[in-house]
Amino acid sequence: MTVPASGRSPLRIAVLAAATAALGLTAGCAGAGKTKKDVAYVARDVDTLYMTAKDRLDHGDAKQAAALFDEVERQHPYSPWARRAQLMGAFSYYVARDYAKSVQTAQRFLSIHPGNKDAPYAYYLVALCYYEQISDVTRDQKITQQALTALTEVMRRYPNTDYATDARMKIDLVNDHLAGKEMEVGRFYERSGKWLASALRFRVVVDKYQTTSHTPEALFRLVEAYLALGVPEEAHRAAAVLGHNYPGSEWYKRAFKLVNAKGDKLSAA
């Protein structure tokens, strides 16, 4: 199963929009008109520079906005605006799908302001950046593991927030994706006749990702692998677990027929 990384859920949009709106609150009005000249990196007062960056973001130019928010921090590092600009810059890079820079900027904010009230937003943004880079199960899953770690961190640190609510749903999808990767590799070994290697992969799904959608098939594949390895007792045990937990599934019906065809009678659950 491939995680729908590119789809931006309503909850995620609402959470990001609310947090970004809060970050975007300003103490005053911009002092200059928004023209092409405003994007040049020249020394400007912090209000004008920040509001120019926000205007670019509001008008859909996220890459330019990110660069301008970086400029706020560079030109006015000791201003209260610098902290706000860091997070707005991280969000702008996220919108522009420059995930590496978004993570880098958010993590820099957290290293400087670990106890800040906007820290939950920064942790959540890091998690989203990893989550939206999850690739097909046929590819390396390093990013998927990073997404899982970051999402788990959001839940651990801020369990009663909207960020944690969204993280919980995404963790379920990420685990399903990781289980899908194990199944992909297990099936490959099975097709190659490497029964022990395949059984080890299917065992990981059953033991580590037992609440995912892949568990019924993993149990059936274990039945196949154990029979091929000549350990019918283990095959019978896997089939019994499958029958107990998924009695009406197609995978159990197939396991029932397979075990009985091998002469080891299995009672229907």
Side-chain angles (χ1 to χ4, degrees):
M1 174 181 176
T2 301
V3 173
S6 59
R8 303 197 169 190
S9 69
L11 175 58
R12 187 182 347 173
I13 292 170
V15 168
L16 284 175
T20 306
L23 291 170
L25 294 176
T26 59
C29 297
K34 311 299 186 295
T35 67
K36 286 286 185 182
K37 277 172 59 177
D38 289 328
V39 302
Y41 297 157
V42 296
R44 279 164 285 180
D45 66 275
V46 67
D47 290 37
T48 299
L49 188 55
Y50 184 93
M51 290 304 293
T52 301
K54 189 172 183 303
D55 180 73
R56 292 290 182 269
L57 181 60
D58 290 343
H59 285 83
D61 191 352
K63 289 186 70 173
Q64 189 66 277
L68 286 166
F69 282 125
D70 286 349
E71 194 68 6
V72 171
E73 187 183 358
R74 189 182 73 81
Q75 290 192 22
H76 306 278
Y78 304 111
S79 164
W81 295 81
R83 173 192 59 78
R84 190 176 299 163
Q86 266 189 329
L87 277 184
M88 290 297 288
F91 175 73
S92 298
Y93 282 124
Y94 165 77
V95 173
R97 286 182 161 76
D98 190 339
Y99 298 120
K101 286 188 177 179
S102 181
V103 168
Q104 182 183 35
T105 305
Q107 288 180 336
R108 188 171 74 250
F109 170 87
L110 289 168
S111 68
I112 300 171
H113 313 285
N116 189 271
K117 65 180 178 64
D118 293 319
Y121 177 85
Y123 277 105
Y124 179 69
L125 197 55
V126 169
L128 284 187
C129 286
Y130 288 131
Y131 180 80
E132 295 198 1
Q133 294 181 83
I134 293 175
S135 60
D136 184 83
V137 293
T138 59
R139 300 184 181 183
D140 180 74
Q141 296 301 303
K142 179 182 178 181
I143 288 287
T144 311
Q145 291 287 354
Q146 289 174 309
L148 180 60
T149 299
L151 289 164
T152 302
E153 187 72 359
V154 171
M155 283 184 54
R156 185 183 71 82
R157 289 177 177 270
Y158 313 105
N160 300 316
T161 64
D162 287 343
Y163 302 118
T165 300
D166 196 42
R168 283 187 196 96
M169 292 190 294
K170 287 179 173 53
I171 285 173
D172 288 342
L173 292 170
V174 169
N175 281 331
D176 208 74
H177 192 82
L178 290 171
K181 177 63 177 181
E182 295 294 334
M183 294 299 297
E184 180 79 13
V185 176
R187 290 189 209 100
F188 171 78
Y189 285 138
E190 188 178 50
R191 290 192 298 269
S192 304
K194 298 177 180 177
W195 297 104
L196 180 57
S198 70
L200 290 174
R201 294 291 182 162
F202 299 136
R203 190 80 245 175
V204 168
V205 175
V206 172
D207 292 341
K208 190 174 179 180
Y209 304 112
Q210 58 189 257
T211 60
T212 70
S213 64
H214 298 281
T215 305
E217 182 186 354
L219 285 164
F220 169 73
R221 299 297 177 189
L222 279 174
V223 172
E224 288 186 316
Y226 288 143
L227 288 174
L229 288 167
V231 282
E233 300 84 3
E234 291 298 324
H236 191 284
R237 187 174 292 113
V241 172
L242 179 56
H244 177 76
N245 291 282
Y246 310 95
S249 71
E250 186 62 33
W251 295 114
Y252 176 63
K253 293 175 185 177
R254 291 175 63 178
F256 184 86
K257 290 179 181 178
L258 185 60
V259 171
N260 285 333
K262 293 291 184 179
D264 189 12
K265 298 299 181 184
L266 177 67
S267 298

